[in-house]
Amino acid sequence: MEQFDFRSMSFYQIWIRSFADGNGDGIGDLYGVYDKLEYIASLGVDGIWFSPIYPSPNADYGYDISDYRNIHPDYGTLEQFRKVLDRAHGLGLKVILDLVINHTSDMHPWFLESRKGRDNPYSDYYIWRDPKWKGETRLPPNNWFSQFEGLAWEYCPERGQYYLHVFAKKQPDLNMDNPRVREEVKGVMRFWLDMGVDGFREDVITYISKHPQLPDGIPFLPGINGLPFYKDGPNLMAYLREFRAVAREYGAVQIGEAPMTPVKTALTYLTGEDRVLDMMIQFDTMMADCIVTEYVHLPFSLIRLKRAFSKWQKALAGKAWNALYLENHDHPRVISRYGSERFWRESGTMLAAAYLFQQGTPFIYQGQEIGMTNIRLGSIEEYKDVSSINAYHRFFTHRPKEKRLRRIHQSSRDSARTPMQWSGSGFAGFSTVQPWFAVNPNYPAVNVETEEKDPQSILNFYRKCLRLRKSSAALLKGDYREYCPLRRRLYMYERRYRSECVLVVCSFSAREQAWRLPKGFAKGSGVLLLCNYPEEGVPGRLRPYEALVLRFRASDAPAGCPG
Ligand code: GLC
Ligand code: CA
């Protein structure tokens, strides 16, 4: 079947536990989602990506799945999901689910069987290895660390073997080299596609093929020393081709999550008619204030951010399609990182303009569209995310408590997982009872209800941006070109298609910035399409975090795009 036109679309991401509680138990669910579908459609997006909604013991909040073909009882039932799906489709929204197949929960029936012994039908569903012995001492098969907690191997006395877990202990990695496991995956895909789901966001999909020998990794890279041996592995393409064949039958779209994948490698998955993925969630643009992970913090550098933006824009031009995002459930809130909480509205709107008009399909994470910011919890005990808790207890332990906690405020995924702020009333309108996780105390000011009424709000700016993107051929399919790449506080890029040229000007500064049109633009010929300040400014000066979007006739713009 033919694919739908994902390139002109944009998607809204739901991390359900914190989205909307429809049945009054403090936990977001599909009843809440159903009630908010009109709101989502009103943003001007064309689809929803659901982070996992399946049964899960929640060691990693849904990314540890114990049943691939059902709905978590906290979130509703299959019947309720079908209702949501139908209503979403009725509103013109596509629905994409998270396909998490690198690992399952350790409570998945496959794993419960697999751990029992070496000769049952599920024995080879996971990656089991014998211990290494040093005299009498039992050691794991290699020196890999897991990304979330401690070593990547857990001993199972029943089998007398270790199992591999690249993430948390309770997330054993599946053995994708076993053809039966791949058949299971295809069965799961068909189950949801037959129901009418439109595609998948595929969790750490570049990790599913491991190096057959599982060699030792580089010892001094905590958390990721095994990466070269489980990322982009030898059979990855072959397996992705198998899954692609299923997706093709349905015209389903596949978006792969690929941590630390260089753009060159990405192109091998993304290019051509026989590409195995339609888009990729890359991590380069999340690294403008850190190294490898947010837990290793650096001051924000716009130069780094621009380099990442332009690298992907240029490398994929004419060959592949970008997934654009600044937030999701794995990263702290972007205003708190790349913007300014002091210039909350200005930086929240400017950041929207900085990425929504690039070439690609934008993803907007729940709460991003109202400018939600990082929460600062009083103690580590209040955090829920396994990787944050582990990072607190394992790294920089010599530092004083307050400093360590401040680092968690800055870098934790939980900063982006607080309940969605629907209104200024109790519990931010998320629930009628105490929610499962702390509400950000800024909800009386930052919430949907208040922002609906304010034409200048972040919420309404997102709407304007999405509308503008849809209305312009240049923004949808034009070439990308960056200007003044070395300016440390200014990001300026152009999109051009035939006679239309759109210039986006973004100040990343809390102070006024001087600016001028790049050489070759005819002065005074630009039409202002969008600005994040209500009043007109002074020519040549950008106010704090100001964003301008200008339209030119290509004949009034410099020749020779793309640069
Ligand atoms: C992906 C998910 C993240 C999860 C991890 C393990 O990175 O986005 O939330 O913890 O994979 O499944
Ligand atoms: Ca609920």
Side-chain angles (χ1 to χ4, degrees), residues 60 63 103 148 167 201 203-204 257 329-330 413 417:
D60 187 19
Y63 285 91
H103 43 266
F148 283 176
F167 293 94
R201 175 269 189 189
D203 191 61
V204 286
E257 187 207 22
H329 65 294
D330 285 333
R413 312 193 285 183
R417 295 179 176 186

Side-chain angles (χ1 to χ4, degrees), residues 479-484 492-496 499-505 515-527 549-561:
D479 292 328
Y480 169 95
R481 178 192 209 175
E482 187 191 346
Y483 291 98
C484 58
M492 206 188 309
Y493 66 99
E494 163 197 299
R495 300 289 312 286
R496 192 190 301 210
S499 61
E500 185 193 8
C501 174
V502 176
L503 186 70
V504 184
V505 184
W515 83 287
R516 67 164 94 106
L517 280 175
K519 233 169 91 189
F521 281 96
K523 257 202 175 158
S525 64
V527 177
V549 182
L550 299 153
R551 177 183 278 144
F552 294 85
R553 280 191 308 264
S555 53
D556 290 329
C561 190

Side-chain angles (χ1 to χ4, degrees), residues 21 23 25 27 29 74:
D21 175 17
N23 63 0
D25 63 357
I27 298 172
D29 52 49
D74 283 350

Side-chain angles (χ1 to χ4, degrees), residues 309-347:
F309 279 157
S310 293
K311 180 167 76 180
W312 284 81
Q313 290 289 303
K314 283 185 197 158
L316 270 56
K319 296 188 201 135
W321 197 252
N322 279 287
L324 309 169
Y325 75 100
L326 286 179
E327 280 191 12
N328 65 35
H329 65 294
D330 285 333
H331 305 281
R333 293 288 185 182
V334 72
I335 292 181
S336 308
R337 300 180 69 177
Y338 298 173
S340 154
E341 291 183 12
R342 205 174 120 227
F343 291 96
W344 166 72
R345 199 195 59 80
E346 291 79 3
S347 69

Side-chain angles (χ1 to χ4, degrees), residues 342-361:
R342 205 174 120 227
F343 291 96
W344 166 72
R345 199 195 59 80
E346 291 79 3
S347 69
T349 45
M350 180 282 289
L351 285 161
Y355 91 106
L356 290 175
F357 299 130
Q358 294 183 26
Q359 183 263 34
T361 296

